[in-house]
Amino acid sequence: MANHVYKKIELVGSSPNSIEDAVNNALAKAAKTIRNMRWFEVVETRGYIENGQVAHWQVGVKIGFTLDEDE
C-alpha cells in the first residue's frame, strides 16, 4: 500500500428534503472539482424553521481526499 497524504475540506450542504440529501448535495458539488475523495464525516447538523416546521436541512461535512502522488 502506498503512503498517502490526505487533505480535508469543510463544506455545508443543504436540502429541503433530508439530512442525507444535504450530505449528497455537498459531495456531488465537491466531486465536480476535487479528485480522489475517500471519506466524509458529518460535523454539524442544523435546520431552518419556517411556520414551526423544518423547511431546510443544513449539514456540515468534512471531506477527506488523497493528494496526487508525485511521479
Side-chain angles (χ1 to χ4, degrees):
M1 179 176 198
N3 293 324
H4 293 291
V5 174
Y6 296 89
K7 182 170 179 77
K8 289 194 297 187
I9 60 167
E10 190 164 350
L11 302 174
V12 176
S14 62
S15 170
N17 301 318
S18 69
I19 293 169
E20 186 175 341
D21 281 353
V23 171
N24 285 326
N25 289 341
L27 294 175
K29 185 69 169 182
K32 291 180 180 181
T33 58
I34 298 172
R35 297 182 307 277
N36 307 320
M37 292 192 309
R38 301 292 183 226
W39 50 265
F40 73 93
E41 62 182 292
V42 174
V43 295
E44 185 175 37
T45 305
R46 64 180 171 265
Y48 177 73
I49 301 168
E50 198 170 89
N51 298 322
Q53 296 184 346
V54 175
H56 219 83
W57 293 98
Q58 296 176 329
V59 179
V61 294
K62 289 185 181 179
I63 300 171
F65 58 97
T66 54
L67 298 176
D68 290 338
E69 296 290 328
D70 292 336
E71 308 245 357

